[in-house]
Structures are given as structure tokens and as C-alpha cells.
Amino acid sequence: MQANHLDTIAILISLSLFVSYYLFLLRQTRRDPNYTIHAINQKARHLWVTEVMKDSRHDVMAVQTLRNYAMAATFKASSAILLIIGTLTLSGQAENLAKSWHVLNLGGSPAPEWWTIKILCLLTALIVAFFAFSMSIRLLNHVVFMVSIPPEQAHGALAPDKVAQRLNHAGAYYSVGMRAFFITVPLVFWLFGPVFLVLATLGLVIVLFRLDRNR
């Protein structure tokens, strides 16, 4: 079998593993809305915002909590930028690295075209992570002002339900950024060969299965 075909098959297997896992997760969520930890976190954030906006004495605590959340997202966005720069630097040494790393490449193609595709996929995941964390920071900066609004003025677009919805959107972007970071793991292993891509994807799906469940 040609080396190009092995890389293509490895990609299809990895995509199938991810799609199968998320279809399974979707089915379980429909059966039990509280199956995932993400659903529990959304409810917790909604209850937290509602309680904070009821009593102005929670303002300082709320601002500190949101600041810590924003700092975590900022750190991860900065990390994504550094990794993007590192990946671009890596792409400049494609010819040399492709030869040396091909020693572990069990049946994969050493062609420069495939190396470019691998780097591009890795860059895409990191850019998605940076964008997601940046959007999370943006929404958190909005929420930090909204939770301090006096209860008698918290109506319409500034009602607790609407503010909680914005906070949950920020949390959703944060989760997307983390998931993009996780996906970089099999993509990095793919640099060493298609077999490593499949094995790393399988390992990642097992880890996600343990992390996503509300158990």
C-alpha cells in the first residue's frame, strides 16, 4: 500500500473516532441532560449569576471570580500565540525535520506536501484555540460590568438570565479553546507518522470520555 494512502486512511480513522464519540455524547445527552460536566457547569454559572445579582454584597467576590476566569483564558490565549509562532518556526525547517523524524514514520509518506498539510492542520487547531479564548475574554469583560448592576435596574437585556447566558457563552468558547488544545496532541503525533496519529486519537477519545462525563 502506498504511503500516501496510509496517511489518508489514518486521517479517516481519526475523524471517524471523533465523530463517533461526539455522536455517542449527543445521544447520551438527549437521554440525560445532566450526563456531561458541561451541562452541570452551565447550570452552576446560571445559578451563580442569579444569586450574585440579587445581593450587591457579592459584587467584589463576583469581580474577583470573573477576573480569575479571564486571567486563565488570557494565559491560554497567550500560550496559543506562542505555540503558533513555534509551529511557524518549525515549518521553516520542514525539509530537515521531515528526514530525521521519518525514522519513526511507520509507513507514512515523507513527501514535503504531507508535511505541509500536517503543519497546516496543527496551525488551524492553534488558531481556533486562540480565537476561542479571545472571544471568551471579550464576553467575560462584558459580564464583569453586568453582574454589578443594581437589582432594581437589572431588566431586559441586563436581566440575570441574559447575563448568565453571556457567561455561558464565554464558558462555551473556553471549552472550545480547550478542546482545540487537546486536538493538537494527535496532530503533533501525526508528524511522526500515521500510526501515531491513530493511537493518539484513540487515547484522546478515552481521556475525553472520562473528562466529559458528570461522574
Side-chain angles (χ1 to χ4, degrees):
M1 184 178 294
Q2 293 184 359
N4 289 345
H5 291 167
L6 288 176
D7 279 293
T8 303
I9 291 172
I11 295 172
L12 293 176
I13 293 174
S14 297
L15 288 176
S16 298
L17 288 171
F18 276 121
V19 171
S20 299
Y21 171 70
Y22 280 105
L23 288 176
F24 163 80
L25 206 62
L26 180 62
R27 185 184 65 180
Q28 294 298 110
T29 303
R30 287 179 175 177
R31 292 180 178 178
D32 179 11
N34 294 326
Y35 180 79
T36 65
I37 189 64
H38 307 290
I40 299 300
N41 286 339
Q42 287 182 351
K43 292 182 178 180
R45 285 191 290 261
H46 188 279
L47 293 173
W48 181 79
V49 169
T50 303
E51 183 64 26
V52 165
M53 295 186 70
K54 282 182 180 178
D55 191 344
S56 59
R57 291 176 299 179
H58 296 315
D59 286 353
V60 176
M61 179 271 293
V63 171
Q64 289 178 341
T65 301
L66 292 172
R67 182 192 62 185
N68 293 339
Y69 200 176
M71 286 177 62
T74 302
F75 172 76
K76 289 180 171 60
S78 302
S79 300
I81 285 294
L82 292 175
L83 290 172
I84 289 171
I85 295 173
T87 303
L88 290 173
T89 302
L90 190 68
S91 65
Q93 305 174 6
E95 185 176 352
N96 295 330
L97 290 176
K99 293 179 180 179
S100 59
W101 291 7
H102 187 63
V103 175
L104 298 176
N105 196 350
L106 303 177
S109 173
E113 294 80 6
W114 274 104
W115 180 268
T116 302
I117 292 173
K118 295 174 182 180
I119 293 296
L120 184 60
C121 290
L122 184 57
L123 276 174
T124 301
L126 292 173
I127 290 172
V128 169
F130 171 75
F131 176 81
F133 287 126
S134 297
M135 289 298 297
S136 180
I137 296 168
R138 171 181 173 271
L139 290 170
L140 289 171
N141 285 334
H142 294 171
V143 173
V144 74
F145 292 101
M146 296 176 182
V147 295
S148 301
I149 295 174
E152 61 274 10
Q153 298 180 10
H155 303 293
L158 299 176
D161 287 344
K162 296 294 184 180
V163 177
Q165 188 177 18
R166 290 182 176 86
L167 182 58
N168 276 328
H169 285 165
Y173 276 116
Y174 191 95
S175 297
V176 169
M178 289 301 301
R179 202 55 48 110
F181 267 167
F182 291 155
I183 289 175
T184 61
V185 174
L187 291 178
V188 169
F189 275 98
W190 189 22
L191 298 175
F192 296 93
V195 175
F196 295 104
L197 169 64
V198 174
L199 293 176
T201 302
L202 180 60
L204 178 59
V205 168
I206 294 173
V207 171
L208 291 178
F209 174 73
R210 298 182 64 87
L211 292 178
D212 286 338
R213 290 184 306 162
N214 177 34
R215 296 291 186 273

